[in-house]
Protein backbone atom coordinates (compact mmCIF):
# COMPACT_ATOMS: atom_id res chain seq x y z
CA UNK A 1 0.00 0.00 0.00
CA UNK A 2 2.80 2.39 0.95
CA UNK A 3 4.71 1.58 -2.23
CA UNK A 4 1.57 2.19 -4.28
CA UNK A 5 1.02 5.60 -2.67
CA UNK A 6 4.67 6.45 -3.21
CA UNK A 7 4.42 5.42 -6.86
CA UNK A 8 1.25 7.46 -7.36
CA UNK A 9 2.88 10.46 -5.71
CA UNK A 10 5.85 10.12 -8.02
CA UNK A 11 3.57 9.93 -11.04
CA UNK A 12 1.69 13.03 -9.85
CA UNK A 13 4.96 14.93 -9.43
CA UNK A 14 6.09 13.81 -12.88
CA UNK A 15 2.84 15.06 -14.33
CA UNK A 16 3.16 18.43 -12.63
CA UNK A 17 6.76 18.89 -13.78
CA UNK A 18 5.92 17.87 -17.34
CA UNK A 19 3.00 20.30 -17.48
CA UNK A 20 5.00 23.28 -16.18
CA UNK A 21 6.28 25.62 -18.89
CA UNK A 22 10.02 26.22 -18.99
CA UNK A 23 9.78 29.84 -17.81
CA UNK A 24 7.79 28.75 -14.72
CA UNK A 25 10.47 26.21 -13.82
CA UNK A 26 13.14 28.88 -14.20
CA UNK A 27 11.14 31.21 -11.93
CA UNK A 28 10.91 28.54 -9.23
CA UNK A 29 14.58 27.59 -9.53
CA UNK A 30 15.71 31.22 -9.36
CA UNK A 31 13.47 32.05 -6.39
CA UNK A 32 14.69 29.09 -4.33
CA UNK A 33 18.34 29.84 -5.17
CA UNK A 34 18.00 33.51 -4.23
CA UNK A 35 16.13 32.93 -0.98
CA UNK A 36 18.53 30.24 0.22
CA UNK A 37 21.67 32.22 -0.62
CA UNK A 38 20.35 35.43 0.95
CA UNK A 39 19.45 33.74 4.24
CA UNK A 40 22.91 32.21 4.55
CA UNK A 41 24.65 35.59 4.32
CA UNK A 42 22.01 37.71 6.16
CA UNK A 43 24.24 38.63 9.16
CA UNK A 44 26.99 39.96 6.89
CA UNK A 45 24.42 41.85 4.83
CA UNK A 46 23.12 43.60 7.96
CA UNK A 47 26.59 44.72 9.04
CA UNK A 48 27.48 45.81 5.51
CA UNK A 49 24.45 48.14 5.42
CA UNK A 50 25.40 49.58 8.81
CA UNK A 51 28.96 50.19 7.61
CA UNK A 52 27.64 51.96 4.52
CA UNK A 53 25.13 54.19 6.33
CA UNK A 54 26.26 54.56 9.98
CA UNK A 55 29.95 55.23 9.48
CA UNK A 56 30.86 56.74 12.87
CA UNK A 57 29.07 54.12 14.95
CA UNK A 58 30.29 50.95 13.32
CA UNK A 59 33.39 51.58 11.20
CA UNK A 60 35.33 52.66 14.28
CA UNK A 61 34.81 49.32 16.01
CA UNK A 62 35.46 47.12 12.98
CA UNK A 63 33.88 43.88 11.82
CA UNK A 64 34.24 41.84 15.02
CA UNK A 65 33.23 44.82 17.14
CA UNK A 66 30.10 45.28 15.05
CA UNK A 67 29.20 41.62 15.52
CA UNK A 68 29.64 41.98 19.29
CA UNK A 69 27.62 45.20 19.45
CA UNK A 70 24.66 43.72 17.61
CA UNK A 71 24.83 40.50 19.62
CA UNK A 72 24.93 42.41 22.94
CA UNK A 73 22.17 44.91 22.16
CA UNK A 74 19.82 42.88 19.96
CA UNK A 75 20.71 39.24 20.37
CA UNK A 76 20.97 36.65 17.61
CA UNK A 77 17.79 37.88 15.95
CA UNK A 78 19.46 41.26 15.51
CA UNK A 79 21.57 39.82 12.73
CA UNK A 80 18.36 39.14 10.82
CA UNK A 81 16.75 42.57 11.24
CA UNK A 82 15.21 43.41 7.89
CA UNK A 83 15.87 39.89 6.59
CA UNK A 84 12.15 39.27 6.16
CA UNK A 85 11.98 42.18 3.72
CA UNK A 86 15.26 41.02 2.21
CA UNK A 87 13.97 37.51 1.50
CA UNK A 88 10.60 38.89 0.37
CA UNK A 89 12.55 40.99 -2.12
CA UNK A 90 15.20 38.50 -3.19
CA UNK A 91 12.85 35.60 -3.97
CA UNK A 92 10.88 37.48 -6.67
CA UNK A 93 14.03 39.36 -7.67
CA UNK A 94 16.12 36.22 -8.17
CA UNK A 95 13.21 34.44 -9.84
CA UNK A 96 12.77 37.30 -12.32
CA UNK A 97 16.53 37.75 -12.69
CA UNK A 98 17.34 34.17 -13.68
CA UNK A 99 14.18 33.68 -15.75
CA UNK A 100 14.64 37.00 -17.57
CA UNK A 101 18.28 36.11 -18.23
CA UNK A 102 17.26 32.86 -19.89
CA UNK A 103 14.48 34.56 -21.88
CA UNK A 104 16.66 37.46 -23.01
CA UNK A 105 19.38 35.02 -23.97
CA UNK A 106 17.00 33.01 -26.16
CA UNK A 107 15.54 36.19 -27.66
CA UNK A 108 18.98 37.56 -28.57
CA UNK A 109 20.05 34.27 -30.18
CA UNK A 110 16.76 34.05 -32.05
CA UNK A 111 16.69 37.69 -33.20
CA UNK A 112 20.40 38.34 -33.67
CA UNK A 113 22.07 35.05 -34.65
CA UNK A 114 25.30 36.85 -35.60
CA UNK A 115 25.95 37.72 -31.94
CA UNK A 116 27.11 34.17 -31.28
CA UNK A 117 26.89 32.24 -28.02
CA UNK A 118 29.99 33.38 -26.17
CA UNK A 119 30.37 35.42 -22.97
CA UNK A 120 29.28 38.64 -24.76
CA UNK A 121 25.83 37.12 -25.11
CA UNK A 122 25.74 36.45 -21.36
CA UNK A 123 26.91 40.03 -20.68
CA UNK A 124 24.01 41.46 -22.68
CA UNK A 125 21.36 39.07 -21.38
CA UNK A 126 22.53 39.44 -17.79
CA UNK A 127 22.47 43.25 -17.96
CA UNK A 128 18.93 43.39 -19.33
CA UNK A 129 17.75 40.79 -16.82
CA UNK A 130 19.23 42.70 -13.89
CA UNK A 131 17.52 45.93 -14.92
CA UNK A 132 14.18 44.17 -15.36
CA UNK A 133 14.35 42.52 -11.95
CA UNK A 134 15.33 45.77 -10.19
CA UNK A 135 12.41 47.73 -11.62
CA UNK A 136 9.91 45.14 -10.38
CA UNK A 137 11.35 44.63 -6.88
CA UNK A 138 13.08 47.89 -5.90
CA UNK A 139 10.48 49.03 -3.30
CA UNK A 140 11.19 45.88 -1.28
CA UNK A 141 14.91 46.64 -1.35
CA UNK A 142 14.20 50.16 -0.07
CA UNK A 143 12.09 48.80 2.79
CA UNK A 144 14.75 46.21 3.65
CA UNK A 145 17.40 48.94 3.89
CA UNK A 146 15.30 51.23 6.07
CA UNK A 147 14.46 48.39 8.47
CA UNK A 148 18.10 47.28 8.72
CA UNK A 149 19.24 50.88 9.23
CA UNK A 150 16.73 52.11 11.81
CA UNK A 151 16.48 49.18 14.20
CA UNK A 152 19.93 49.43 15.77
CA UNK A 153 19.17 48.76 19.41
CA UNK A 154 16.88 46.36 21.20
CA UNK A 155 13.30 47.56 21.51
CA UNK A 156 13.59 47.45 25.30
CA UNK A 157 16.09 50.31 25.09
CA UNK A 158 13.29 52.51 23.64
CA UNK A 159 15.43 53.99 20.89
CA UNK A 160 13.73 56.77 18.93
CA UNK A 161 14.32 58.26 15.52
CA UNK A 162 15.96 61.63 15.01
CA UNK A 163 12.60 63.41 15.41
CA UNK A 164 11.35 61.34 18.33
CA UNK A 165 9.37 58.92 16.14
CA UNK A 166 9.20 55.21 16.79
CA UNK A 167 11.10 53.07 14.31
CA UNK A 168 9.24 51.21 11.57
CA UNK A 169 7.38 48.24 13.06
CA UNK A 170 7.59 45.95 10.06
CA UNK A 171 7.42 45.60 6.29
CA UNK A 172 3.81 46.74 5.83
CA UNK A 173 4.22 49.63 8.28
CA UNK A 174 7.33 50.81 6.44
CA UNK A 175 5.56 50.56 3.06
CA UNK A 176 2.54 52.55 4.23
CA UNK A 177 4.59 55.32 5.89
CA UNK A 178 6.84 55.79 2.86
CA UNK A 179 3.87 55.85 0.50
CA UNK A 180 1.95 58.36 2.64
CA UNK A 181 4.98 60.61 2.91
CA UNK A 182 6.33 60.53 -0.66
CA UNK A 183 4.01 58.43 -2.80
CA UNK A 184 5.33 56.13 -5.56
CA UNK A 185 8.43 58.31 -6.03
CA UNK A 186 9.36 57.67 -2.40
CA UNK A 187 9.26 53.90 -2.96
CA UNK A 188 11.72 54.30 -5.85
CA UNK A 189 14.12 56.71 -4.15
CA UNK A 190 17.67 55.69 -5.10
CA UNK A 191 16.55 53.51 -8.02
CA UNK A 192 18.82 55.39 -10.49
CA UNK A 193 22.13 54.28 -8.91
CA UNK A 194 20.61 50.82 -8.53
CA UNK A 195 20.03 50.63 -12.27
CA UNK A 196 23.43 52.16 -13.03
CA UNK A 197 24.99 49.53 -10.80
CA UNK A 198 22.89 46.48 -11.71
CA UNK A 199 23.35 46.75 -15.47
CA UNK A 200 27.14 46.32 -15.34
CA UNK A 201 27.13 44.11 -12.22
CA UNK A 202 24.54 41.64 -13.44
CA UNK A 203 26.04 41.51 -16.90
CA UNK A 204 29.60 41.13 -15.59
CA UNK A 205 28.51 38.46 -13.12
CA UNK A 206 27.10 36.24 -15.85
CA UNK A 207 29.96 37.19 -18.20
CA UNK A 208 32.70 36.17 -15.76
CA UNK A 209 30.80 33.03 -14.73
CA UNK A 210 30.37 31.76 -18.28
CA UNK A 211 33.86 32.92 -19.29
CA UNK A 212 35.46 31.00 -16.44
CA UNK A 213 33.40 27.89 -17.18
CA UNK A 214 34.65 27.97 -20.77
CA UNK A 215 38.15 27.16 -19.47
CA UNK A 216 36.96 24.20 -17.40
CA UNK A 217 37.48 20.72 -18.93
CA UNK A 218 34.14 19.19 -20.03
CA UNK A 219 34.41 16.32 -17.55
CA UNK A 220 34.53 18.76 -14.60
CA UNK A 221 31.89 21.31 -15.66
CA UNK A 222 29.13 19.62 -13.64
CA UNK A 223 31.15 19.44 -10.41
CA UNK A 224 29.56 21.43 -7.60
CA UNK A 225 32.91 22.72 -6.32
CA UNK A 226 33.76 24.02 -9.79
CA UNK A 227 30.44 25.85 -9.98
CA UNK A 228 30.99 27.30 -6.51
CA UNK A 229 34.46 28.53 -7.44
CA UNK A 230 33.37 30.09 -10.75
CA UNK A 231 30.38 31.76 -9.10
CA UNK A 232 32.52 33.14 -6.27
CA UNK A 233 35.09 34.76 -8.56
CA UNK A 234 32.37 36.09 -10.87
CA UNK A 235 30.50 37.75 -8.01
CA UNK A 236 33.67 39.16 -6.48
CA UNK A 237 34.90 40.78 -9.70
CA UNK A 238 31.50 42.15 -10.65
CA UNK A 239 30.86 43.60 -7.20
CA UNK A 240 34.25 45.30 -6.93
CA UNK A 241 33.70 47.22 -10.16
CA UNK A 242 30.22 48.47 -9.25
CA UNK A 243 30.39 48.78 -5.43
CA UNK A 244 30.58 52.63 -5.18
CA UNK A 245 27.13 52.88 -6.78
CA UNK A 246 25.78 50.53 -4.12
CA UNK A 247 27.06 52.89 -1.40
CA UNK A 248 25.41 55.87 -3.12
CA UNK A 249 22.14 53.96 -3.35
CA UNK A 250 22.14 53.04 0.35
CA UNK A 251 22.85 56.59 1.50
CA UNK A 252 20.14 58.01 -0.76
CA UNK A 253 17.67 55.51 0.69
CA UNK A 254 18.26 56.46 4.34
CA UNK A 255 19.23 60.13 4.13
CA UNK A 256 15.83 61.48 5.19
CA UNK A 257 16.29 60.20 8.74
CA UNK A 258 20.07 60.02 8.84
CA UNK A 259 21.79 62.55 11.05
CA UNK A 260 25.19 61.80 9.50
CA UNK A 261 24.30 63.04 6.02
CA UNK A 262 24.44 66.83 6.02
CA UNK A 263 24.14 67.37 2.27
CA UNK A 264 20.91 66.84 0.36
CA UNK A 265 21.36 64.09 -2.21
CA UNK A 266 19.17 64.73 -5.26
CA UNK A 267 20.88 62.65 -7.93
CA UNK A 268 23.39 59.88 -8.42
CA UNK A 269 26.34 61.98 -9.57
CA UNK A 270 25.62 64.75 -7.06
CA UNK A 271 25.40 62.17 -4.28
CA UNK A 272 28.69 60.68 -5.42
CA UNK A 273 30.38 64.10 -5.21
CA UNK A 274 28.85 64.84 -1.78
CA UNK A 275 30.07 61.52 -0.36
CA UNK A 276 33.61 62.07 -1.69
CA UNK A 277 33.77 65.69 -0.46
CA UNK A 278 32.26 65.15 2.98
CA UNK A 279 33.21 61.58 3.84
CA UNK A 280 36.22 60.91 1.64
CA UNK A 281 36.66 58.61 -1.37
CA UNK A 282 37.29 55.65 0.92
CA UNK A 283 33.62 55.80 1.97
CA UNK A 284 32.70 54.69 -1.56
CA UNK A 285 34.29 51.35 -0.67
CA UNK A 286 33.06 51.21 2.92
CA UNK A 287 32.04 47.67 3.82
CA UNK A 288 33.62 46.22 0.68
CA UNK A 289 35.68 43.72 2.68
CA UNK A 290 32.47 42.51 4.35
CA UNK A 291 30.81 42.45 0.97
CA UNK A 292 33.52 40.14 -0.29
CA UNK A 293 32.71 37.75 2.55
CA UNK A 294 29.04 38.02 1.63
CA UNK A 295 29.28 37.98 -2.17
CA UNK A 296 31.61 35.00 -2.46
CA UNK A 297 29.23 32.52 -0.80
CA UNK A 298 26.06 34.30 -1.97
CA UNK A 299 26.78 34.28 -5.70
CA UNK A 300 28.42 30.86 -5.53
CA UNK A 301 25.44 29.35 -3.68
CA UNK A 302 23.01 31.17 -5.97
CA UNK A 303 24.48 29.81 -9.20
CA UNK A 304 24.95 26.32 -7.76
CA UNK A 305 21.47 25.99 -6.25
CA UNK A 306 19.94 27.40 -9.45
CA UNK A 307 21.69 24.76 -11.57
CA UNK A 308 20.68 21.99 -9.13
CA UNK A 309 17.06 23.19 -9.07
CA UNK A 310 16.94 23.25 -12.86
CA UNK A 311 18.21 19.69 -12.87
CA UNK A 312 15.56 18.61 -10.33
CA UNK A 313 12.80 20.45 -12.23
CA UNK A 314 14.00 18.85 -15.48
CA UNK A 315 14.64 22.12 -17.27
CA UNK A 316 16.14 21.41 -20.70
CA UNK A 317 19.58 22.79 -21.41
CA UNK A 318 19.83 26.30 -22.83
CA UNK A 319 21.09 25.11 -26.20
CA UNK A 320 18.32 22.50 -26.54
CA UNK A 321 15.61 25.04 -25.70
CA UNK A 322 17.05 27.62 -28.08
CA UNK A 323 17.35 25.05 -30.88
CA UNK A 324 13.69 24.08 -30.41
CA UNK A 325 12.57 27.72 -30.59
CA UNK A 326 14.63 28.44 -33.70
CA UNK A 327 13.38 25.24 -35.37
CA UNK A 328 9.76 26.09 -34.56
CA UNK A 329 10.17 29.60 -36.00
CA UNK A 330 11.78 28.24 -39.17
CA UNK A 331 9.02 25.67 -39.59
CA UNK A 332 6.37 28.32 -39.03
CA UNK A 333 7.95 30.72 -41.51
CA UNK A 334 8.49 28.02 -44.12
CA UNK A 335 5.06 26.37 -43.81
CA UNK A 336 3.15 28.93 -45.96
CA UNK A 337 5.68 28.69 -48.78
CA UNK A 338 5.67 24.90 -48.49
CA UNK A 339 1.88 24.76 -48.72
CA UNK A 340 1.91 27.08 -51.74
CA UNK A 341 4.53 24.88 -53.43
CA UNK A 342 2.50 21.74 -52.83
CA UNK A 343 -0.63 23.42 -54.16
CA UNK A 344 1.27 24.51 -57.29
CA UNK A 345 2.58 20.97 -57.86
CA UNK A 346 -0.88 19.48 -57.45
CA UNK A 347 -2.27 21.94 -59.98
CA UNK A 348 0.38 20.83 -62.47
Amino acid sequence: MAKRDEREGGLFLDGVLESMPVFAKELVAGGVAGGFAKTVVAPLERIKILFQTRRSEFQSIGLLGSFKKIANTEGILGFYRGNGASVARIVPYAALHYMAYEQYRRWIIESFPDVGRGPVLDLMAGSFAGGTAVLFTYPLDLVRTKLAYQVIQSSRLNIKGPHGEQVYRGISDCFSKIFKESGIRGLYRGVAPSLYGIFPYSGLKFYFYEEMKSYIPPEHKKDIMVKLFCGSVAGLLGQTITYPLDVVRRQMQVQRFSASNSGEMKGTMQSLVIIVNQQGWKQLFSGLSINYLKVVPSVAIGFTVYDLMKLWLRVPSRDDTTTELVTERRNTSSSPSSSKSSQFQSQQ
Side-chain angles (χ1 to χ4, degrees):
M1 186 68 179
K3 289 184 178 180
R4 180 182 176 183
D5 292 339
E6 184 178 342
R7 186 167 58 253
E8 290 178 353
L11 291 174
F12 174 76
L13 179 61
D14 290 341
V16 171
L17 293 178
E18 290 297 326
S19 63
M20 286 179 67
V22 173
F23 80 89
K25 294 180 180 180
E26 291 166 351
L27 281 170
V28 173
V32 172
F36 184 79
K38 180 61 68 175
T39 302
V40 170
V41 300
L44 288 169
E45 176 71 10
R46 174 84 198 283
I47 292 179
K48 185 200 79 170
I49 291 176
L50 295 175
F51 264 52
Q52 289 177 329
T53 57
R54 288 184 177 267
R55 183 186 182 197
S56 59
E57 297 176 48
F58 285 87
Q59 285 191 15
S60 59
I61 59 178
L63 178 60
L64 293 179
S66 298
F67 268 105
K68 291 178 181 179
K69 181 173 181 177
I70 293 175
N72 292 334
T73 58
E74 302 180 50
I76 297 299
L77 292 179
F79 292 106
Y80 293 89
R81 297 279 187 186
N83 190 54
S86 182
V87 172
R89 178 194 72 92
I90 201 63
V91 169
Y93 172 83
L96 283 170
H97 193 183
Y98 283 107
M99 186 274 291
Y101 163 74
E102 303 285 4
Q103 296 296 324
Y104 280 127
R105 191 176 186 276
R106 295 185 193 114
W107 176 76
I108 293 172
I109 291 175
E110 195 175 347
S111 304
F112 308 96
D114 294 336
V115 172
R117 303 192 185 185
V120 174
L121 170 64
D122 299 296
L123 178 67
M124 296 169 60
S127 297
F128 291 141
T132 301
V134 163
L135 287 176
F136 276 96
T137 61
Y138 184 80
L140 284 167
D141 181 60
L142 178 71
V143 169
R144 183 274 301 260
T145 301
K146 286 182 177 290
L147 289 174
Y149 173 86
Q150 276 209 324
V151 189
I152 300 298
Q153 304 285 354
S154 174
S155 59
R156 67 177 178 271
L157 299 178
N158 195 27
I159 296 299
K160 305 281 186 177
H163 302 293
E165 300 133 347
Q166 197 71 33
V167 294
Y168 296 123
R169 293 179 175 84
I171 298 174
S172 60
D173 181 56
C174 190
F175 260 117
S176 63
K177 287 182 178 178
I178 295 172
F179 184 76
K180 288 179 182 178
E181 179 184 348
S182 308
I184 294 295
R185 291 187 64 181
L187 291 172
Y188 278 88
R189 181 170 185 80
V191 72
S194 295
L195 289 174
Y196 297 155
I198 198 62
F199 271 103
Y201 171 66
S202 180
L204 288 170
K205 183 175 67 174
F206 281 103
Y207 172 86
F208 287 129
Y209 183 67
E210 297 298 329
E211 178 70 10
M212 289 191 64
K213 287 202 304 182
S214 67
Y215 292 99
I216 303 299
E219 63 270 18
H220 294 295
K221 284 191 174 182
K222 292 185 178 180
D223 293 351
I224 291 179
M225 293 306 299
V226 171
K227 292 180 182 292
L228 286 170
F229 176 76
C230 292
S232 299
V233 176
L236 188 146
L237 293 175
Q239 188 69 191
T240 302
I241 295 171
T242 61
Y243 189 78
L245 288 170
D246 188 48
V247 175
V248 172
R249 172 170 60 103
R250 297 296 184 198
Q251 295 209 12
M252 288 182 70
Q253 288 175 338
V254 303
Q255 70 166 323
R256 287 192 177 276
F257 51 85
S258 172
S260 61
N261 292 329
S262 56
E264 179 69 18
M265 298 181 183
K266 296 181 179 179
T268 303
M269 293 308 299
Q270 181 183 358
S271 301
L272 198 65
V273 173
I274 289 175
I275 292 173
V276 172
N277 289 339
Q278 297 184 359
Q279 304 174 35
W281 66 268
K282 290 184 179 180
Q283 179 64 17
L284 294 175
F285 295 91
S286 175
L288 182 57
S289 59
I290 300 174
N291 214 47
Y292 284 151
L293 298 177
K294 183 199 73 147
V295 164
V296 168
S298 179
V299 177
I301 292 170
F303 274 125
T304 303
V305 173
Y306 178 65
D307 285 343
L308 292 176
M309 284 297 299
K310 285 202 303 179
L311 185 64
W312 184 78
L313 292 170
R314 302 169 195 172
V315 177
S317 68
R318 292 168 184 162
D319 291 336
D320 291 343
T321 306
T322 303
T323 302
E324 290 177 5
L325 290 172
V326 173
T327 303
E328 287 178 6
R329 169 165 284 196
R330 287 176 178 173
N331 292 338
T332 303
S333 61
S334 62
S335 58
S337 59
S338 299
S339 60
K340 287 181 181 179
S341 176
S342 60
Q343 288 177 2
F344 179 74
Q345 290 177 358
S346 63
Q347 288 176 358
Q348 285 183 327

